[in-house]
Amino acid sequence: MKDEGSEFLIRIADLQKAFGRQKVLNGISLEVKRGETVAVLGRSGGGKSVLLKLIIGLQAPDGGSIQVAAKEITKLDQDQLNEVRKRIGFLFQQAALYDSLTVEDNVAFPLSRHTKMSNDERSNRVHELLADVGMDRDLGKMPSEISGGMQKRVGLARALALDPEILLFDEPTAGLDPITAAEIGDLIVKLKRKRKMSAVVVTHDVHGANAYSDRMVLLHEGSIAAEGTFDDLQGSQDEFVKQFFSYGSR
Amino acid sequence: MMRLPILVLAATASGAMAGGRLRDPVPIARNFLVGVFEWFGDLGLFCARLIRSALTPPYEFGELLRQCDAIGSKSLPLVALAGAATGVVLSLQTRDSLVRFGAKAFLPAVIVFSIIKESGPIITGLIVSGRVGAGIGAELGSMKVTEQIDAMEASAVDPYKFLVATRVVACILMVPLLTVVSNFCGILMGWLANTLSEPISLRLFLEDGFKNMEFTDYIPPIVKTAVFGLTIGIVSCFQGIRTRGGTEGVGRSATSSVVLSSLFVILADVILVRLILMIWG
């Protein structure tokens, strides 16, 4: 199942998605290597979050190909798709914690459904995951009792529960104060080093993305406007790229 | 069933008059009809996915028990109260009518037959539509707009199995049990209301009431209430899971869950009574 031979964990080719008459993604092609972190930047409503939902199969594309761990996910049935999803962790923009479950139960949720761990093993694993994100003192709290930054940490612990090879982050630092945003950024760098996962990070935060990504992709009007390292994009002569980076640096 | 064309006409007329100006009603009626057909089409796809998820293992017994508690035990006081009130009203109203016709002796039988065969099931169905339908519509709608359902799918957990199937099955199991409670309270309070006017022992009241009841008289109401439960579960889960548009959408889903599940419970009652009379006479 690990597909060790393949260099790329995610391969997207000519991806297209429209909502009604509005084309959100118009022929996107993107590859993510094993252990690589790619930041996807772009204006609000530019299709960045849609790209993540297409990668994990929450939405169906109108055209193009999406290969995750060498599986063409657009052609998988529900059970096969779920097998691929077990290898992906997804941190949602608003964390999307189950509000009827405690912090501990939120993190235990995927473990109780996809592993045969005993209660003690599962509890230890949940403690370990929450300790990794600095939330092991709030096990019994409900999501409504913790702050937005803490919810994102718990969401991250839940995304890591099945030890995924790929992590998808949807605006991990949006709506957070600069200190908490920096802490989440540091957490991503720490996890990247510790777990050696591939990651796609959708963000507006140019400097945060520079800290934790190996490569950046800038989306504009449904297409990739620029691609490369932070320095490559900062030195670009393209008007949109220059404008995006000048505003992003303020 | 006669109400549906009236509703279509009313909605079409109000749409045509929107903004104080008379607009061309043809495209409005066409859009409305397309919407109605789309709704039924989506409902069919929803049911197909629900059946597949409900029948394939693993089964979510823990969540099913939690839903049985949320739908059953937490609706109990309201259903008991509604059943008791029905019993009192039925006793007072029927007593007056039967006295006029010199058939007072039939009062226990009329109350028992009426409550067990019709009043108990329909009152329980409508009470559960209101309380549980709104709850399911709002809860699933809220989970939808806050991406909790997406998060569940992203975790490779089927939300139809975990959220929808458990709620629908819990409704099917709990509505008949709640109806039994409603019937019990209705008959008991019917006796109490009756005995306040003209004392009669509970034993005699029950003996008279159940004298002509046969076992086959109990089966159709139980089947009927299970169908009410299925209707409430499916309609409110469907409205909840297709929520769009933030908190406003959640409000719309909660309201439409109650309205549509109540409407379909009444329609199901009409159809089932006809079927029951055809089968059991």
Side-chain angles (χ1 to χ4, degrees), chain A residues 176-187:
Chain A
L176 301 178
D177 65 84
I179 297 172
T180 313
E183 284 172 0
I184 295 279
D186 291 345
L187 206 55

Side-chain angles (χ1 to χ4, degrees), chain A residues 53 56 58 78-79 82 85-86 90 92 96-99 109 113-114 158, chain B residues 49 52 60 66 142-143 146-148 150-157 162:
Chain A
K53 289 185 176 176
I56 202 165
L58 290 174
Q78 196 62 42
D79 293 334
N82 279 341
R85 282 173 175 165
K86 288 178 195 171
F90 196 128
F92 284 81
L97 299 181
Y98 309 127
D99 48 21
F109 188 83
R113 269 146 194 89
H114 301 308
R158 185 179 66 184
Chain B
R49 193 168 168 193
R52 181 182 175 273
E60 297 283 353
R66 206 176 74 80
S142 167
M143 289 185 78
T146 56
E147 295 186 312
Q148 290 176 55
D150 281 348
M152 202 169 276
E153 280 201 78
S155 302
V157 175
F162 187 78

Side-chain angles (χ1 to χ4, degrees), chain B residues 166-250:
Chain B
T166 51
R167 281 164 174 78
V168 173
V169 173
C171 282
I172 295 171
L173 296 175
M174 287 299 110
V175 176
L177 292 178
L178 288 167
T179 306
V180 170
V181 175
S182 167
N183 291 350
F184 173 79
C185 294
I187 292 169
L188 194 69
M189 292 308 288
W191 164 74
L192 194 66
N194 186 42
T195 208
L196 287 174
S197 307
E198 188 178 326
I200 177 175
S201 74
L202 179 60
R203 187 175 170 175
L204 185 61
F205 182 88
L206 293 178
E207 270 177 11
D208 279 356
F210 285 93
K211 197 163 53 187
N212 293 315
M213 285 285 279
E214 291 171 16
F215 180 69
T216 50
D217 288 322
Y218 297 101
I219 297 170
I222 290 171
V223 173
K224 198 160 75 169
T225 50
V227 174
F228 290 170
L230 176 73
T231 307
I232 295 163
I234 286 181
V235 171
S236 48
C237 286
F238 177 59
Q239 289 302 108
I241 217 157
R242 71 203 297 262
T243 302
R244 283 180 198 154
T247 48
E248 197 186 341
V250 176

Side-chain angles (χ1 to χ4, degrees), chain A residues 39 41 66 73 75 81 96 140 179 181 201 206 215-216 218 241:
Chain A
L41 304 160
I66 305 168
I73 66 153
K75 291 176 181 162
L81 183 59
I179 297 172
V201 186
V206 174
R215 191 156 55 92
M216 293 182 180
L218 183 58
V241 180

